[in-house]
Amino acid sequence: MSLVMSRSHALVTRLRGATSLVHDRSIARCTPTDRVSKNARLGDLRRWQSTTKSVDERLPRVIAQTTVFENPWLRLKAIRFLDERGAERQWTGLERTTTYPDGHAIGQESKCDAVVVFPFLTQPDAPTRVILIRQFRPPVGKWVVELPAGLIDGEEAPDVAASRELQEETGYVASRVLHMGPPMVNDQGITNGSCRFVLMQVEADAQASAEPTQQLEADEMIQVLVAPLESLVPWLLERQHTHGDAIDARLYSYALGLQGLPPTLA
Amino acid sequence: MSLVMSRSHALVTRLRGATSLVHDRSIARCTPTDRVSKNARLGDLRRWQSTTKSVDERLPRVIAQTTVFENPWLRLKAIRFLDERGAERQWTGLERTTTYPDGHAIGQESKCDAVVVFPFLTQPDAPTRVILIRQFRPPVGKWVVELPAGLIDGEEAPDVAASRELQEETGYVASRVLHMGPPMVNDQGITNGSCRFVLMQVEADAQASAEPTQQLEADEMIQVLVAPLESLVPWLLERQHTHGDAIDARLYSYALGLQGLPPTLA
């Protein structure tokens, strides 16, 4: 069962006068909208796809969103969309109210919620290390070893947000941006949450103090960890094993990449 | 404003007889539970932390969860937890009902929802490529360039799930697992969603057909893309630029790591 199949919410309504949601995938295949011709309806899947393409290049697309739950930080939405064949379907997705305050997400350029910083801690004549944080995350119910990160404030530039978050969460001051990634989505099956990956250099010798001080709110639960870059993957696995910590996906994926190609391919 | 600060949901209730949620961070700092001594309550943050440690090593921790919204695939929960100082707080988090059907997540070992496959497509005397998918994701409202992925079915082994999902979504058959990552969390500020990163080798010459056929459900919207491994990061950026596709975080992070250290550090 794929992510799509299992969560595909084959709740199908007719385009007009929809009042109830039906749990039946077979119905999905029998409810083309009026955007799809009668001939197309008679074809097989391959024919559907090619026929649909000629009918409406804009498929699939979201056509409406309804809020089913909201608090000051999150909004859960029932999303109505047309699939590749023009059949209407429904999905449930979560978004941050802090990023989409007006609910005009449909059709607009994607915004980016947050920055995630990979801080290379460099020192002359010493191996480069990485500054990580360990944060208690209520949705996971655990401490998570992760990268310093935070929401981009309003019109703030991503590099400014990255420097600020790094300093607030770890006390370290970055000297330069080494790479600014594009917006990337974190868990696209259930949320539109997005972030930019920012690689930064932090020069140990340029810090005001040998023991940088965090600037945490009273309700932040963050510990600073400095890890070896050379053996970051085994370090993370050991951390998970000995402390029961969870591991952030961006951190592990990047660390694994830094190891290079798997031996049998290299 | 950090991810934690902005979303810290400083909704504080007293441990006993809680009937309403209060939006006031200052209250959080004044509502230690009976687990924290009166002396500790008088100290500063540093003193709190050290005092709390001696009082209860198990802090912070989740103490209760209430469902605020549920459908057949997702459950949104109000999570009550004690922070490092023993003050009770609240957070909102999303989980898959398909992974935690009985709501016994508190205190149990973390399960892993899904596998995310990085399929190295190898061919003698040709550069290694990677098999990607392009999937329409309603929560994002866009096509997302991502890795083949899917939920682990019941007691299924992760490598079996990885092989199955790869074949269903792309038609390609893997020959071996090159690396099996640990469970990692995708977007821990809002969900407990987790996955394992699985690197697999797919031998082009071992495929039954030169044009492998997907085994999609009628409601899956997935296209197969084969990308160059050598220039994967610029390929992804170009794809985002020209097609408006979103990019998956695990894919981009790993691809960026494969490029090696940023030039100024290498």
Side-chain angles (χ1 to χ4, degrees), chain A residues 1-11 23 25 29 46 59-62 68-69 71-74 76 79 81 83-85 89 91-94 96 109-110 114 120 122 128 135-144 146 149-151 153 164-165 168-169 178-179 181-193 197 199 201 213 217-223 229 233 237 240 246-250 252-254 256-258 260-262 264-265, chain B residues 1-11 23 25 29 45-46 59-62 68-69 71-74 76 79 81 83-85 89 91-94 96 109-110 114 120 122 128 135-144 146 149-151 153 164-165 168-169 178-179 181-193 197 199 201 213 217-223 229 237 240 246-250 252-254 256-258 260-262 264-265:
Chain A
M1 186 168 56
S2 76
L3 277 169
V4 164
M5 289 168 56
S6 61
R7 296 213 37 261
S8 67
H9 306 200
L11 303 170
H23 288 252
R25 276 175 205 210
R29 294 190 276 271
R46 198 169 296 273
L59 297 178
R61 69 172 191 276
V62 172
V68 293
F69 175 86
N71 69 17
W73 306 275
L74 298 175
L76 194 69
I79 302 165
F81 67 101
D83 70 12
E84 283 176 308
R85 291 173 283 154
R89 297 176 182 278
W91 201 279
T92 306
L94 195 66
R96 293 183 188 280
E109 272 308 292
S110 70
F120 290 93
T122 61
T128 297
Q135 181 161 198
F136 184 76
R137 295 294 202 167
V140 185
K142 287 188 171 191
W143 291 92
V144 179
E146 54 189 48
L151 295 177
D153 289 339
R164 181 181 51 68
E165 286 294 345
E168 288 175 1
E169 296 190 344
L178 302 171
H179 175 86
M184 52 188 197
V185 291
N186 298 321
D187 200 358
Q188 56 268 31
I190 53 179
T191 163
N192 68 352
F197 202 24
L199 309 187
Q201 183 176 7
T213 310
E217 290 289 304
D219 52 2
E220 284 193 304
M221 292 165 284
I222 297 177
Q223 300 168 1
L229 190 63
V233 166
L237 297 175
Q240 187 172 51
I247 301 175
D248 170 77
R250 281 88 35 122
Y252 186 81
S253 300
Y254 184 65
L256 189 64
L258 284 178
L261 290 177
T264 54
L265 294 183
Chain B
M1 184 169 57
S2 78
L3 277 169
V4 164
M5 289 167 56
S6 62
R7 294 214 39 258
S8 66
H9 305 201
L11 302 172
H23 287 253
R25 276 176 203 205
R29 293 189 276 270
L45 179 57
R46 197 168 297 272
L59 296 178
R61 69 171 191 277
V62 172
V68 294
F69 174 86
N71 69 18
W73 307 275
L74 298 175
L76 193 68
I79 301 164
F81 67 102
D83 69 13
E84 282 176 308
R85 292 173 284 154
R89 296 175 183 279
W91 200 280
T92 307
L94 196 66
R96 292 182 189 280
E109 272 307 291
S110 71
F120 290 93
T122 62
T128 297
Q135 181 161 198
F136 184 77
R137 294 294 201 169
V140 185
K142 287 186 172 192
W143 291 93
V144 179
E146 55 189 48
L151 294 177
D153 289 339
R164 181 183 48 70
E165 287 293 346
E168 287 175 2
E169 295 190 345
L178 302 171
H179 175 87
M184 53 187 197
V185 291
N186 297 321
D187 200 358
Q188 57 266 32
I190 53 179
T191 163
N192 69 352
F197 201 25
L199 309 187
Q201 182 176 6
T213 309
E217 290 289 304
D219 53 1
E220 285 192 304
M221 292 165 284
I222 296 177
Q223 300 168 1
L229 191 62
L237 297 175
Q240 187 172 51
I247 302 176
D248 171 77
R250 282 90 32 124
Y252 187 80
S253 301
Y254 184 65
L256 190 62
L258 283 178
L261 291 177
T264 54
L265 296 182

Side-chain angles (χ1 to χ4, degrees), chain A residues 10 13 26 29 64 108 111 132 147 173 191 197 233 236 250:
Chain A
T13 58
S26 64
R29 294 190 276 271
Q108 81 181 19
K111 296 179 185 178
L132 303 177
L147 296 163
V173 177
T191 163
F197 202 24
V233 166
L236 289 169
R250 281 88 35 122

Side-chain angles (χ1 to χ4, degrees), chain B residues 44-56:
Chain B
D44 61 11
L45 179 57
R46 197 168 297 272
R47 193 168 150 197
W48 267 118
Q49 288 172 332
S50 58
T51 309
T52 304
K53 268 197 174 169
S54 69
V55 173
D56 193 337

